[in-house]
Amino acid sequence: VISGSEVVKEKWTRSRTPYEPSMSFSHKLWMVSLPVSYFEEPNPFRIQNADEYDMKVMRWAKDWTNRVPYTLVRGMVFQDGERMTQLCAYEDIVKLPGSYWVDTTRTEKSECTIHIHPFEGKDPNNQLMEVTTRQSSFNPKAKGVNYIRLNGFTIEQVGNGFPRSGKGALSNFGGSHWIIENNVLRKINSVAIEIGARTDEHLDEGSREMLEAVSGRNIVRNNTIYDCGTGGIQGMINVENLIEDNHIYNLGWQEAEFYYETAAIKILYTRNCLVRRNHIHDIEAAMGIWLDANNVNSRVTQNLLYNVSCNFGGIFMEVSTRANLVDNNLVWNCGKNGIYQHDHDSLYVVHNLVGHSKENGIMTKITPGRRKDDRFTTAAHNKILYNVLVDNSRPFSYIDSLTTVSDYNMVALPENRNETFDWQSWQKAGFDKNSKIAKVSGEFNPSNLVFELEVKGAYPWVDRLPYITEDFLGRKYDTQHIFPGALKGGKSEIIQLSEYFKK
């Protein structure tokens, strides 16, 4: 076990208000001052999650400068191993058991003072109280250390900052040919694993091509990641990375979605990357899988995603001009959209099964006025083929009716949908001439990972694409004519997904 925290050995006393130090605000509250000896590196209780320095490289997030949760400090507090909630005002913690506030005033003897409202009103002197004293638990001193295998660790309780300058609790610091496998990462303030070539945009120099030549070729597999504030696996500039068989859940409690660096898996500037067979669920204020900016020849396939609550999509592909592939994924109960892309050309979305999206099963969109590589962005020449869409509020929403090809999909419209989807008008616009409206029922039980699909009536056969050799579960196709969707069996399937996905 590699921990970023230390046990508090100092005595907790009744809290005195920082405004009238001689007075107690409430007998529910306690306080402790942490001496300098706790911190061998910069104190995470004195550094904001993302300050003005961080926001300068993120023009899209400038409106969130000097606002919560970015102004909260990186340090975390744990009572008997349970993460406490940081609040931005001292007077608020009296309202919430299990919360804390940090007075960052420094004295000769103290680095900071932590005020807490313990769970169940317990005396913290009789509890195991821990505080994060480090911003990373595994991070090379020198950048570009290569050929490292990290296997079988538990990494926890790390007070790291938000990307772009904050590092992952486990960071390869721009190294190449790492294997990160069979680890547990949990109770992290921000991101669990960082694998990108560029780790601080203020400091890192060199072109994408130069950084790709000395980084990447990493494998991140079979890890369990949960209870992280903003993200699971992230990195900027990724070449030939493989991210597979990871179980990522219960993320996003920082509620930092609107600085747009939050996801269970978010990798940027990908080239020849493969993201497959990951089990992602119960994500809040963050995307499930997000490939962002100038992606080339990368593939998102055979992933299971459900209960992802965000403003874009369970799978999100963004602002790229080269071909990328999203295929054979099961995406269930995501809001707003199941599979979403904006400003992406030449994206293939094929053989996915998307159900119960709050707005759209599959959506393409253009961001007005956005420029990329000296041109206005488009969402052109995309192909949405052979998907099965079940009870989404709307099955599709496309921005480009001239170059988008959408066809041979099978759609079940919800009977009680609030927004009318006019299938005839949709076809007159040039979409889905050969697609079918069908009676499809799909049920998914997250508690035991049983998925059941049943199709009644006509079921269109489709010609197998040359790059589709197996279905969502890895079952090989042995015929040229196959069913649409992500399941080889087609009409009726009852599947125990725990046999295929890490739980």
Side-chain angles (χ1 to χ4, degrees), residues 360 393-397 411 413 417 419-424 426-427 432 437:
N360 301 285
S393 293
R394 288 173 55 88
F396 311 106
S397 177
V411 178
L413 297 175
R417 64 188 185 278
E419 184 176 357
T420 300
F421 183 80
D422 189 332
W423 185 255
Q424 290 183 340
W426 183 254
Q427 289 185 317
D432 290 284
I437 296 289

Side-chain angles (χ1 to χ4, degrees), residues 24 55 121 136 139 146 171 191 233 263 319 364 368 390 406 457:
S24 294
M55 293 299 194
S136 61
N139 179 28
N146 303 328
S171 174
V191 173
I233 301 167
V319 65
T364 71
V390 181
S406 182

Side-chain angles (χ1 to χ4, degrees), residues 78 125 166 177 209 281 300 316 327 333 345 373 428 446 475:
F78 299 89
N125 293 295
H177 295 87
E209 290 73 19
H281 61 96
V300 177
F316 178 13
D327 72 286
N333 191 35
D345 299 342
D373 299 331
K428 285 180 181 178
R475 299 176 297 189

Side-chain angles (χ1 to χ4, degrees), residues 26-61:
S26 169
H27 290 292
K28 298 177 182 178
L29 309 184
W30 299 77
M31 61 186 280
V32 71
S33 294
L34 300 179
V36 177
S37 59
Y38 275 69
F39 305 99
E40 296 181 1
E41 58 182 68
N43 177 3
F45 286 99
R46 296 190 56 81
I47 307 173
Q48 291 183 352
N49 284 325
D51 58 16
E52 293 184 30
Y53 170 86
D54 295 287
M55 293 299 194
K56 283 181 180 178
V57 298
M58 296 183 288
R59 62 188 183 280
W60 54 89

Side-chain angles (χ1 to χ4, degrees), residues 23-127:
M23 302 293 290
S24 294
F25 183 70
S26 169
H27 290 292
K28 298 177 182 178
L29 309 184
W30 299 77
M31 61 186 280
V32 71
S33 294
L34 300 179
V36 177
S37 59
Y38 275 69
F39 305 99
E40 296 181 1
E41 58 182 68
N43 177 3
F45 286 99
R46 296 190 56 81
I47 307 173
Q48 291 183 352
N49 284 325
D51 58 16
E52 293 184 30
Y53 170 86
D54 295 287
M55 293 299 194
K56 283 181 180 178
V57 298
M58 296 183 288
R59 62 188 183 280
W60 54 89
K62 64 181 181 180
D63 291 339
W64 291 92
T65 304
N66 296 322
R67 298 178 67 180
V68 174
Y70 313 97
T71 53
L72 296 178
V73 298
R74 301 175 180 187
M76 303 170 70
V77 181
F78 299 89
Q79 178 182 336
D80 280 341
E82 187 171 357
R83 174 176 56 82
M84 304 183 81
T85 299
Q86 182 182 174
L87 299 180
C88 63
Y90 171 79
E91 54 269 28
D92 285 342
I93 62 174
V94 72
K95 305 171 187 176
L96 181 66
S99 62
Y100 68 100
W101 175 79
V102 182
D103 183 350
T104 57
T105 304
R106 180 182 281 156
T107 67
E108 289 185 5
K109 297 182 178 181
S110 170
E111 271 282 292
C112 60
T113 300
I114 298 174
H115 300 257
I116 68 168
H117 183 174
F119 291 110
E120 300 179 359
K122 293 182 177 180
D123 182 345
N125 293 295
N126 300 323
Q127 308 291 300

Side-chain angles (χ1 to χ4, degrees), residues 31-293:
M31 61 186 280
V32 71
S33 294
L34 300 179
V36 177
S37 59
Y38 275 69
F39 305 99
E40 296 181 1
E41 58 182 68
N43 177 3
F45 286 99
R46 296 190 56 81
I47 307 173
Q48 291 183 352
N49 284 325
D51 58 16
E52 293 184 30
Y53 170 86
D54 295 287
M55 293 299 194
K56 283 181 180 178
V57 298
M58 296 183 288
R59 62 188 183 280
W60 54 89
K62 64 181 181 180
D63 291 339
W64 291 92
T65 304
N66 296 322
R67 298 178 67 180
V68 174
Y70 313 97
T71 53
L72 296 178
V73 298
R74 301 175 180 187
M76 303 170 70
V77 181
F78 299 89
Q79 178 182 336
D80 280 341
E82 187 171 357
R83 174 176 56 82
M84 304 183 81
T85 299
Q86 182 182 174
L87 299 180
C88 63
Y90 171 79
E91 54 269 28
D92 285 342
I93 62 174
V94 72
K95 305 171 187 176
L96 181 66
S99 62
Y100 68 100
W101 175 79
V102 182
D103 183 350
T104 57
T105 304
R106 180 182 281 156
T107 67
E108 289 185 5
K109 297 182 178 181
S110 170
E111 271 282 292
C112 60
T113 300
I114 298 174
H115 300 257
I116 68 168
H117 183 174
F119 291 110
E120 300 179 359
K122 293 182 177 180
D123 182 345
N125 293 295
N126 300 323
Q127 308 291 300
L128 173 64
M129 302 300 301
E130 298 166 287
V131 294
T132 54
T133 59
R134 287 172 285 278
Q135 297 185 57
S136 61
S137 284
F138 195 99
N139 179 28
K141 271 190 175 181
K143 188 163 188 178
V145 176
N146 303 328
Y147 296 96
I148 301 293
R149 184 178 183 184
L150 191 68
N151 183 359
F153 287 90
T154 294
I155 293 175
E156 63 182 8
Q157 299 185 353
V158 178
N160 55 347
F162 293 2
R164 303 278 176 101
S165 65
K167 286 190 171 67
L170 188 169
S171 174
N172 73 342
F173 202 12
S176 73
H177 295 87
W178 282 48
I179 300 176
I180 302 170
E181 62 183 352
N182 304 317
N183 303 289
V184 175
L185 296 100
R186 62 191 181 192
K187 303 176 185 178
I188 309 296
N189 187 60
S190 181
V191 173
I193 298 176
E194 177 191 27
I195 57 170
R198 181 167 284 148
T199 58
D200 187 338
E201 287 185 81
H202 293 280
L203 303 176
D204 291 331
E205 297 180 351
S207 66
R208 173 178 177 175
E209 290 73 19
M210 185 205 79
L211 291 170
E212 283 184 345
V214 297
S215 68
R217 292 87 183 174
N218 302 299
I219 298 172
V220 183
R221 67 185 174 205
N222 206 37
N223 301 285
T224 300
I225 301 170
Y226 63 95
D227 198 15
C228 300
T230 67
I233 301 167
Q234 293 195 20
M236 176 172 285
I237 303 184
N238 292 264
V239 58
E240 297 178 13
N241 285 332
L242 171 62
I243 301 174
E244 65 177 2
D245 298 315
N246 300 286
H247 185 197
I248 308 174
Y249 62 100
N250 291 355
L251 299 187
W253 50 262
Q254 288 280 10
E255 292 288 343
E257 181 175 6
F258 294 110
Y259 98 121
Y260 301 124
E261 296 296 336
T262 61
I265 298 173
K266 185 181 183 188
I267 50 177
L268 300 91
Y269 296 93
T270 71
R271 183 185 300 275
N272 305 339
C273 288
L274 179 59
V275 181
R276 68 179 178 187
R277 298 196 305 264
N278 297 285
H279 180 192
I280 296 170
H281 61 96
D282 296 295
I283 308 299
E284 184 71 29
M287 267 51 74
I289 297 172
W290 185 354
L291 271 58
D292 184 0

